[in-house]
Amino acid sequence: MSDPIRLPAAILFDLDDTLLDTSLSATRVWDQTAAAFAQEIGHRAEVFKPVLAASRAWYWGDPRRNRAGRLDVQRARVAVTHHGLQQLGIDDHGLATRFADYYSAHRVSTMAFFDGAEETLAHFVGAGVPLALITNGDAGGQRAKVDHFGLERYFQVVLIEGEQGFGKPDPRVYERALAACDAPAQASWCVGDSLAWEVAAPQRLGMTGVWNDWARRGLPADAAVVPDRVVGRVAELMETAARGD
Ligand SMILES: [Mg+2]
């Protein structure tokens, strides 16, 4: 385990819920879409919103659906919406598809960097620390985020699950990222909100696993994984790394 106060040899960053406010903005755009379709659905957005939230939890809570949905997000959005509509007694696949299309059209533009996240990338690049972006999900959706936020310029390599054909926690992801940064695992950090993908798996390779607890919920009581460090925003990495300069 490296000393987290000193600058690392490289940092591997997760994208969703680490650099970008993916979950928070998802709620915003689902709400916006529910309002836009309220008349057609025949229920006010306030009625459909909790139904949709339950439907999202139902869909993404299943590991098999989660993997299939990550790689085909549009299909997942239609399935979530269709399931939600069915809870209201509406079995209309066409409506679910149009709802999901509206959502998708507004999805990336409603996302934002977490406070200080882009400054953090610039800070470490300026300090000479090579960075890698490692993100799971479908090629089109993840690439759209990378392009929209101009992320390529900060990273030695951008590894997208849907482009590579494999994703975290496959060790090849971290190994490829470290190789692109020309950095040893033992002196490098991996930062993200998933305890399995950005803490446990990289720790097994000797990396420092930093957990981004963006929702500030704290470690689950039954967590088998012990992060080397916990932050609430990636900008905290910048403050402490600066102290070790
Ligand atoms: Mg994430």
Side-chain angles (χ1 to χ4, degrees):
M1 188 189 319
S2 65
D3 179 351
I5 299 301
R6 289 174 48 198
L7 279 176
I11 310 177
L12 280 49
F13 277 102
D14 170 49
L15 179 59
D16 293 304
D17 288 332
T18 298
L19 298 174
L20 302 179
D21 66 345
T22 308
S23 294
L24 292 171
S25 60
T27 301
R28 286 200 300 271
V29 69
W30 279 118
D31 290 356
Q32 185 184 325
T33 310
F37 281 81
Q39 198 169 6
E40 195 173 349
I41 290 171
H43 290 280
R44 289 182 302 119
E46 287 66 30
V47 173
F48 193 37
K49 274 159 51 177
V51 174
L52 265 182
S55 187
R56 284 162 62 196
W58 161 81
Y59 185 89
W60 294 107
D62 177 86
R64 283 186 56 195
R65 280 198 296 267
N66 190 303
R67 175 163 167 74
R70 286 205 312 272
L71 298 176
D72 188 348
V73 288
Q74 188 57 16
R75 195 168 157 183
R77 287 166 187 163
V78 173
V80 165
T81 308
H82 191 222
H83 183 264
L85 289 171
Q86 285 176 321
Q87 307 311 303
L88 297 176
I90 304 164
D91 190 1
D92 188 337
H93 201 267
L95 175 56
T97 302
R98 282 184 287 111
F99 187 101
D101 286 346
Y102 181 100
Y103 175 97
S104 298
H106 295 82
R107 182 66 187 97
V108 173
S109 61
T110 60
M111 288 185 188
F113 280 110
F114 278 126
D115 283 348
E118 189 168 23
E119 292 80 356
T120 304
L121 299 176
H123 169 84
F124 282 108
V125 168
V129 178
L131 310 179
L133 186 67
I134 53 171
T135 177
N136 279 4
D138 74 304
Q142 297 309 90
R143 182 56 66 180
K145 296 176 205 171
V146 170
D147 291 346
H148 181 79
F149 289 96
L151 289 168
E152 279 279 2
R153 69 186 126 150
Y154 297 112
F155 296 98
Q156 303 297 313
V157 69
V158 171
L159 298 176
I160 296 174
E161 181 183 27
E163 292 180 354
Q164 299 288 311
F166 55 86
K168 300 171 283 188
D170 188 321
R172 288 176 294 174
V173 174
Y174 316 95
E175 288 162 359
R176 235 174 237 204
L178 289 167
C181 294
D182 195 22
Q186 286 72 16
S188 300
W189 303 349
C190 187
V191 184
D193 67 294
S194 166
L195 287 167
W197 294 348
E198 288 105 32
V199 178
Q203 280 179 338
R204 284 195 289 274
L205 298 174
M207 302 183 70
T208 294
V210 181
W211 186 46
N212 184 47
D213 182 18
W214 64 271
R216 296 187 168 90
R217 292 197 181 106
L219 277 174
D222 59 350
V225 183
V226 181
D228 294 292
R229 188 166 170 200
V230 178
V231 294
R233 291 287 181 271
V234 296
E236 293 171 38
L237 299 172
M238 188 164 50
E239 295 159 16
T240 47
R243 284 211 305 268
D245 281 353

